[in-house]
Amino acid sequence: MERFVTRVIETVRGYYLVVLVSLLWFLVQFLRFVFPPLFETFQTVYGVSNTQTGFLFTLLMLSYAAVQFPSGVFGDRFGLPTVIFAGATIFTGAALLAAASPSFLLLTLAAMLIGLGTGPHKTVAIPLLSRRYSDHPGRVLGVMDTVGQLGGMTAPLVVVVLAGVFVWQSVFLLGAAVSGVLAVLFYWSVRTDSTVETVRFSIDEKSDTTGAKSETTDGALSYRSVFSDRAFLMFVFVTVCFTFAWNGVASFLPLYLTSEKGVSTGVAGILYSLLFAMTVSQTVTGELGDRIGKLAVSAVLFAMMALGLGGLLVVDSPRALAAVTVVAGLGFHGFRPVRDAYLMEIIPEGVSGGTLGGVRTLMTGMGALAPAMIGVLSDTVGFAVAFAIVAGVTVAAGSPVLEPALLVDYLN
């Protein structure tokens, strides 16, 4: 019994970083994706349209995108945990501002600040966890994304419960309280752990670059050399299109289901949660990517995304909609840990933060346009056309995964 308890304690100590980073990622996702389920409430309270709520979410995502590259560079220079803690502090305060917003303009400002605060987290969390758990990065990143996407799944359920019992502002108050506590725990934990060299807050120390995958030089030249690689750029194209498609689906799926498919608001909320519940696939796909090849797994996942989105366009019954939502969700969520592990595999460690930040700036910046585009198209030509375009983008994103040069580069 004593040996069992000792082993449990050692396991907890070994994986505390995964737990805290994952829980913070949960709050990041919660505070971002709590907005779409509240769109109808905002339209009633503030008298705004689909286009205006779509632009609010686009501004949030543009703010999210704007800090990707800077946060990666800061992580390389000042320490990855420092950036995580600073971001958590910002989005905690922004959630409080959202709860206190008397106007849609101030709410939009709060949404932008949430974007700025949540933006740095994953950019620095990916290299932090990949270095700390280098033997199985896909598995660890799968755990982080699984926990994080549960934040998106929980968001509409929390909106239904809290907004129904109290007021919609209570959703943001809860988010601020939990994220504040987690930020303090994260700060205290890494400050008191002297055994993890890469986990530190000192601005006088640079991150260790021992074991970098290739020789690099300082400054912009290092980043430029990475972005000049054709196979790398091809995969960046894949991630950009993927993010655009995901943001398009995630921002307006509830309204699409109620307006185009005629389901009730409650059923739409359940299906929206079901989309995020498929985050459970990530621990499996991350492990599969480590074992049998990241690009091969990616090809299967893109096929599932396309099949699921195509199904959303043609089926109408709640059961059929639930089935295609599950398929789409498995594809979208399952791709993330595979994508992130592959990027960390091909990016030199010494510039991993800044390079990943650059990639995430591109993908989140382009992805941020999706909510505005869906909002405008839904008000002009209808949701069906808008979602058909998203399905087409998904097909375009999956095509280069099997591009021969990219496969050869990976296999070599």
Side-chain angles (χ1 to χ4, degrees), residues 194-216:
S194 59
T195 65
V196 183
E197 185 177 4
T198 57
V199 181
R200 58 196 178 203
F201 279 87
S202 173
I203 65 172
D204 296 323
E205 296 178 299
K206 295 183 179 180
S207 299
D208 181 22
T209 58
T210 302
K213 301 176 187 65
S214 65
E215 187 175 333
T216 61

Side-chain angles (χ1 to χ4, degrees), residues 224-238 342-343 346 399-410:
R224 194 180 307 121
S225 64
V226 177
F227 279 91
S228 65
D229 180 76
R230 180 173 176 269
F232 175 76
L233 290 177
M234 288 288 288
F235 200 75
V236 170
F237 170 80
V238 171
Y342 181 71
L343 285 171
I346 61 178
S399 300
V401 173
L402 293 179
E403 199 269 346
L406 192 56
L407 279 174
V408 170
D409 178 78
Y410 174 72

Side-chain angles (χ1 to χ4, degrees), residues 92-342:
T92 297
L96 292 174
L97 178 62
S101 299
S103 67
F104 188 73
L105 180 62
L106 193 58
L107 180 67
T108 301
L109 175 61
M112 293 174 65
L113 289 174
I114 286 176
L116 290 173
T118 56
H121 186 86
K122 196 171 186 180
T123 296
V124 294
I126 290 172
L128 179 65
L129 295 182
S130 296
R131 294 178 194 174
R132 179 65 176 82
Y133 306 96
S134 58
D135 292 338
H136 40 266
R139 183 196 309 169
V140 171
L141 294 177
V143 170
M144 181 185 75
D145 258 326
T146 297
V147 174
Q149 293 304 318
L150 289 175
M153 182 192 75
T154 305
L157 301 178
V158 173
V159 168
V160 170
V161 173
L162 290 186
V165 177
F166 302 104
V167 291
W168 65 264
Q169 291 91 338
S170 60
V171 177
F172 290 102
L173 290 175
L174 176 64
V178 177
S179 61
V181 171
L182 288 175
V184 172
L185 287 175
F186 176 79
Y187 178 86
W188 177 81
S189 296
V190 297
R191 286 284 289 188
T192 56
D193 186 351
S194 59
T195 65
V196 183
E197 185 177 4
T198 57
V199 181
R200 58 196 178 203
F201 279 87
S202 173
I203 65 172
D204 296 323
E205 296 178 299
K206 295 183 179 180
S207 299
D208 181 22
T209 58
T210 302
K213 301 176 187 65
S214 65
E215 187 175 333
T216 61
T217 58
D218 294 333
L221 182 60
S222 300
Y223 299 117
R224 194 180 307 121
S225 64
V226 177
F227 279 91
S228 65
D229 180 76
R230 180 173 176 269
F232 175 76
L233 290 177
M234 288 288 288
F235 200 75
V236 170
F237 170 80
V238 171
T239 63
V240 168
C241 292
F242 164 81
T243 306
F244 182 93
W246 166 250
N247 284 352
V249 174
S251 58
F252 275 101
L253 181 61
L255 281 177
Y256 170 77
L257 292 171
T258 55
S259 63
E260 290 293 320
K261 300 301 177 178
V263 303
S264 67
T265 301
V267 172
I270 292 172
L271 292 177
Y272 191 59
S273 293
L274 187 61
L275 177 71
F276 282 91
M278 293 306 101
T279 185
V280 296
S281 67
Q282 295 187 83
T283 53
V284 177
T285 57
E287 184 76 19
L288 287 175
D290 289 340
R291 289 177 178 270
I292 66 176
K294 298 173 180 64
L295 295 179
V297 173
S298 297
V300 174
L301 295 172
F302 270 103
M304 296 178 69
M305 295 178 218
L307 181 62
L309 291 180
L312 284 173
L313 294 171
V314 298
V315 304
D316 294 302
S317 70
R319 287 186 179 180
L321 287 170
V324 295
T325 298
V326 167
V327 173
L330 288 172
F332 276 110
H333 291 296
F335 177 62
R336 290 192 184 91
V338 182
R339 172 200 64 191
D340 296 337
Y342 181 71

Side-chain angles (χ1 to χ4, degrees), residues 9 38 42 68 77 86 166 219-220 285 311 323 349 372 398:
I9 293 174
L38 286 169
F42 295 155
Q68 299 295 315
R77 172 63 182 88
F166 302 104
T285 57
E349 185 175 314

